[in-house]
Every structure is written in structure tokens, then in C-alpha cells.
Amino acid sequence: MLYPKKVKIKEVGPRDGLQNENVWIATEDKISWINQLSRTGLSYIEITSFVHPKWIPALRDAIDVAKGINREKGVTYAALVPNQKGLENALKGGIDEACVFMSASETHNRKNINKSTADTLHILKQVNDDAKKANLTTRAYLSTVFGCPYEKDVPLEQVIRLSEALFEFGISELSLGDTIGAANPVQVEIVLEALLARFPAKQIALHFHDTRGTALANMVTALQMGITVFDGSAGGLGGCPYAPGSSGNAATEDIVYMLEQMDIKTNVKLDKLLSAAKWIEEKMGKQLPSRNLKVFKSS
Ligand code: HMG
Ligand code: MG
């Protein structure tokens, strides 16, 4: 079996992890957590979201967070940007990469960003163009690729059509979202076979939520198919507020543990990452889903 020699992990905990939480994490605590994550060897952190504060109150301090963090050399600081207004604020905060996002299913797209997918594509194209003019790189998320909380099955043709549209306007990477953590390895193989016939593996990332415990199994399948970029959330914190019942991404420390044991390099220092996960767990005041964090706390 051929596995890649190294993998890039994109930490989305400060955004995907915190966006769904009712507990208010103070701005200075968010900043402190991101600074801790910056010192773990991670080379990419999605720090916040420049969305409407009424839609995602937990990240209403996005500009202050972006302005307040220490920028470590070699770390890319990214944020979600849904539209022009979001980009304006993101530029005030100063980020390296703008992550645009939409869903493969019409209903989730409307519930999440209040637009049809056709209208969203026009908006995201403009955001992508303007972000590039401002010297930012861009990444796109396509959510509900493996299932939608409202429509259940999502036709593969829809995933292909929207992926093509996003690549056509020049995004550098597409992260395929298993928003509700419903995917299984066979499905991952089917979706990737279709997409890898059209786009290079190095431009595809995978974003698995671990709602049903299949995230790491899905990741192994994706690794075998040549994918080398995966999103994770420290502690396994999070979920999408517009995907009822969804839980957090695969815990970054569970991903790092598995990959390093498979002799796939991540460059992430597991002990530092575990300390950062434990720190946010204490702030959240509840046990987080990460398996490696449980082991760490009991050792
Ligand atoms: P809307 O109400 O349709 O916006 O919301 P609008 O363009 O009609 O504007 C209405 C008002 O909102 C205006 O203000 C705008 O200025 C303001 P007014 O003139 O009435 O005073 N506005 C904004 N304010 C601040 N920041 C902005 C912004 N945009 C407009 N960016 C909008 C549309 C997209 C803003 C809203 O639906 C929204 O914020 N949605 C965010 C939902 C979200 O963040 N969901 C979670 C992230 S996605 C996810 O988790 C999935 C992912 O992890 C991958 C996966 O797991 O699959 C990425
Ligand atoms: Mg997500």
C-alpha cells in the first residue's frame, strides 16, 4: 500500500470548533489559544470567520482576534469569508488566506448562507477576485459533499459541477466537507475517483466531521488515493450550527497520532498540541471528544 510521506494538517478549531459553541470564549482566550496552536508546528490555522455576527455570535470578535494574535513565521492564518462585506472585515483584520464556502446541496446552502447555489457562485467569484487583488490566497469549501442534513443524498453530479465552477474561477484548493460526519470509506473512494479524474490530488483537501466515528477510516482511504491535506480541530471541538446534530471535525491530535504512527510526517508536536487541546477543554468546561486527549489526561 502506498501512503504519502508527509501530510499537511489544517487546524480549523478556532473557527469550526468554536462557531457552534454556546459558551462564550473571551477574545483574549481565543487569541491565547491560537498562539498556543501556532507553536505546535502546525503550518496553517483557520482563526475565525468574517460572517454576520447574528448568524454566528460566537465569532463576533473576528477582527479583534485577527488583529490580536502573534504571527509565527511559516504559519498561514486563514479565515472564512462569505461575501464582500466579510472580505472588507477580513482585510481590516489582516489574514493570509480567505476561505470561501458553499454547499453541494441547495437546502443547506440556503439555510447556511441564505442564497441559492447559483447566486453564491457569483458572490464567491467576486470575493475570490478581490481577495487575490489584495494579495490573499483563496481556498474553497464545498459542504454536504457526502450527505445533507435536509436532503440526505447529494448527487455526485452536483458535487462535480460545483467543484468545476469553483476551480474555474481560480481557487487554489478545494476542501470537501463531510459536514454531518456521514461518509464511509467506500463513498470517499467513489467521490474521490470522480474528482481526481478532473483535478490534481494536491488541490483537494478533506474535511471530515466525526459525528459517527468514521472520520479516521475515511482519511485512510483518502490517503491511499493520494490526498495529502486534511482539516482537523484540536480537541475534536465543533460542528456546523446549520447542520443539526453534527459534531466536531476529527480531532487534530487523533489525526497526528495516527499519521505519525503510520510513519507519515506531519511536523506537528503532539505533546504541544495536546496541551493546547487540554487548555481549550478547560475553558469550554466540558469533555471534548478527542481520544488522545483522554489518554494524555490520564497519563
Ligand atoms: P444575509 O442576511 O443574506 O446578508 O446573510 P445580506 O447580504 O442580505 O446583508 C444583510 C445585512 O447583513 C447587511 O446589513 C449586511 O451589511 C450585513 P444591513 O445593511 O442590513 O445593516 N452583512 C454582514 N455583516 C457582517 N459580516 C458579513 C456580512 N454580510 C452581510 N460577512 C450571510 C448572508 C452569508 C452574511 C449570512 O448568512 C452568514 O453570515 N452566514 C454564515 C453561516 C456560517 O458561518 N455557517 C458556518 C460556517 S460553514 C461550515 O461550518 C461548513 C464548513 O466547516 C465545511 C463543512 O463542514 O462542510 C466550512
Ligand atoms: Mg466543518
Side-chain angles (χ1 to χ4, degrees):
M1 198 71 74
L2 267 188
Y3 287 102
K5 292 205 169 1
K6 58 179 185 183
V7 153
K8 181 163 183 141
I9 297 172
K10 298 198 164 180
E11 172 60 49
V12 298
R15 191 279 302 173
D16 205 332
L18 293 180
Q19 72 181 10
N20 199 25
E21 296 294 340
N22 296 325
V23 179
W24 170 250
I25 299 295
T27 308
E28 61 268 28
D29 288 338
K30 288 179 181 135
I31 291 170
S32 167
W33 189 40
I34 294 165
N35 289 344
Q36 292 173 48
L37 292 167
S38 288
R39 296 191 294 265
T40 59
L42 283 161
S43 58
Y44 187 104
I45 308 176
E46 199 175 74
I47 56 170
T48 188
S49 203
F50 292 95
V51 293
H52 197 298
K54 276 201 196 127
W55 286 64
I56 305 286
L59 302 182
R60 60 182 181 268
D61 53 359
I63 296 183
D64 292 336
V65 169
K67 280 186 168 165
I69 57 169
N70 298 331
R71 311 285 165 128
E72 292 288 331
K73 209 165 157 239
V75 180
T76 299
Y77 295 94
L80 279 199
V81 175
N83 55 17
Q84 293 296 127
K85 175 83 185 164
L87 183 61
E88 247 172 64
N89 288 337
L91 293 176
K92 282 182 201 153
I95 53 164
D96 303 316
E97 178 155 288
C99 304
V100 297
F101 59 105
M102 68 181 300
S103 312
S105 55
E106 206 58 44
T107 317
H108 186 264
N109 202 69
R110 283 185 188 277
K111 299 254 186 203
N112 198 37
I113 47 178
N114 207 23
K115 302 273 177 308
S116 67
T117 54
D119 288 345
T120 304
L121 279 174
H122 290 297
I123 294 169
L124 300 192
K125 181 178 185 323
Q126 194 59 51
V127 172
N128 179 72
D129 290 349
D130 291 349
K132 287 198 161 160
K133 276 184 207 142
N135 287 325
L136 305 190
T137 53
T138 54
R139 173 189 218 218
Y141 284 102
L142 189 60
S143 292
T144 63
V145 165
F146 301 93
C148 168
Y150 309 102
E151 296 175 21
K152 294 221 165 77
D153 294 341
V154 178
L156 186 52
E157 301 73 56
Q158 229 158 275
V159 172
I160 295 169
R161 180 176 58 80
L162 293 171
S163 302
E164 278 172 346
L166 290 164
F167 274 123
E168 245 162 53
F169 65 65
I171 50 134
S172 47
E173 183 176 277
L174 179 66
S175 182
L176 303 172
D178 181 16
T179 318
I180 55 169
N184 66 71
V186 172
Q187 192 187 9
V188 170
E189 195 176 338
I190 292 168
V191 169
L192 280 180
E193 242 169 38
L195 292 187
L196 294 176
R198 292 165 173 84
F199 317 110
K202 64 178 190 319
Q203 285 186 286
I204 305 271
L206 280 159
H207 178 102
F208 290 119
H209 283 265
D210 201 25
T211 318
R212 294 168 179 79
T214 53
L216 289 187
N218 292 335
M219 206 171 285
V220 171
T221 296
L223 284 166
Q224 289 168 355
M225 296 182 76
I227 300 298
T228 56
V229 182
F230 294 93
D231 301 345
S233 171
L237 187 68
C240 176
Y242 299 96
S246 72
S247 49
N249 294 84
T252 315
E253 52 282 12
D254 292 343
I255 300 175
V256 170
Y257 174 82
M258 180 182 81
L259 293 174
E260 294 287 340
Q261 292 298 308
M262 291 168 78
D263 209 19
I264 300 171
K265 300 288 168 235
T266 63
N267 200 39
V268 180
K269 294 170 196 75
L270 188 55
D271 54 340
K272 289 194 172 168
L273 181 61
L274 285 162
S275 300
K278 183 167 175 281
W279 191 90
I280 196 68
E281 185 180 67
E282 280 161 12
K283 292 284 168 198
M284 298 303 303
K286 65 175 183 187
Q287 191 176 317
L288 297 182
S290 162
R291 275 78 160 188
N292 277 273
L293 183 54
K294 279 194 199 95
V295 176
F296 180 65
K297 286 187 301 180
S298 59
S299 62

